[in-house]
Amino acid sequence: MHTKWSDGNSTIEEMALAAKKLGHEYICITDHIGTLKIANALDEKRILKQMKEIDKINKKLKGIAILKGAEVNIKNDGNLDVKDSVLKKLDVVFASIHSGFKNPKEKLTKRIIKAMENENIDVIAHPTGRLIQKRPAYEINFDKVFEKAKETNTCMEINSFPNRLDLKDTHIRLAIKANVKLVINTDAHSPDQLRFIELGIATARRGWAEKKDIINTLPL
């Protein structure tokens, strides 16, 4: 989920309190970090500042835990635009592609595979980049991507945002067959969007996912 720190509309505390109301045990703040200007991405200084802020709020709030996360951009060559020394300090790191959607299938596959080879990457976010009725999914070789995800213990995101639902049901089925773990996220930019989790759960069920396949069914 995103906050005012990058391209969200609410504070960390507002997101945490809304999630607590929904009965969540924990959340993970994943504002954009790096050089993604369009999403007001945090630089190294600001992400370290945000981590301190999360520590403060965690001390203050009872009944919900806030994990320190970030969404980092996968560059054209598959490298990440944030130093490993910064990524290492975070609890959960998401990596995603935000450019070059028309690149050949082979190149896009290589970019994702290279990102997963970085030990700091935990999850590949919205793995096909689709925006329903707006932008088609870019092409990747799922067999190769899921094989690497299994090898590196990287999870794949099921993005619950209504115009994403990415991974979609058929890809979820393939991921499960490949023994790849999944995580259902809202990609919320405001507290009311946290309820989108229901759409992600429904999509996961369509792909025959069970509780054991989804890491955020686990306790903190």
Side-chain angles (χ1 to χ4, degrees), residues 28-40:
C28 184
I29 301 294
T30 57
D31 280 313
H32 293 278
I33 61 171
T35 56
L36 205 63
K37 295 278 184 285
I38 198 165
N40 186 28

Side-chain angles (χ1 to χ4, degrees), residues 12 22 29 40 47 67 69 91 112 125 131 136 140 147 149 157 167 172 178 180-181 188 208-209 215:
I12 296 168
L22 290 173
I29 301 294
N40 186 28
I47 189 67
L67 295 171
D91 296 315
I112 291 176
L131 292 173
I140 55 174
E147 191 185 326
E157 177 184 74
L167 291 176
I172 290 164
V180 170
K181 294 292 182 195
W208 292 27
I215 64 162

Side-chain angles (χ1 to χ4, degrees), residues 1 29 36 45 93-94 116 126 162 217:
M1 64 186 73
I29 301 294
L36 205 63
K45 217 172 174 179
V93 181
F94 289 73
M116 286 193 282
H126 42 78
T217 60

Side-chain angles (χ1 to χ4, degrees), residues 120-184:
N120 298 302
I121 298 306
D122 303 297
V123 184
I124 297 296
H126 42 78
T128 74
R130 76 168 182 171
L131 292 173
I132 296 165
Q133 295 185 333
K134 196 173 167 188
R135 182 175 72 210
Y138 48 72
E139 283 195 56
I140 55 174
N141 182 324
F142 280 101
D143 290 339
K144 284 185 178 172
V145 166
F146 291 158
E147 191 185 326
K148 180 56 78 172
K150 179 82 179 83
E151 183 197 311
T152 56
N153 203 22
T154 310
C155 298
M156 291 285 142
E157 177 184 74
I158 299 170
N159 187 306
S160 306
F161 214 84
N163 69 345
R164 285 195 186 269
L165 303 178
D166 179 12
L167 291 176
K168 66 177 184 178
D169 49 10
T170 49
H171 296 146
I172 290 164
R173 187 79 188 120
L174 289 175
I176 290 163
K177 281 182 177 169
N179 288 316
V180 170
K181 294 292 182 195
L182 303 157
V183 55
I184 302 175

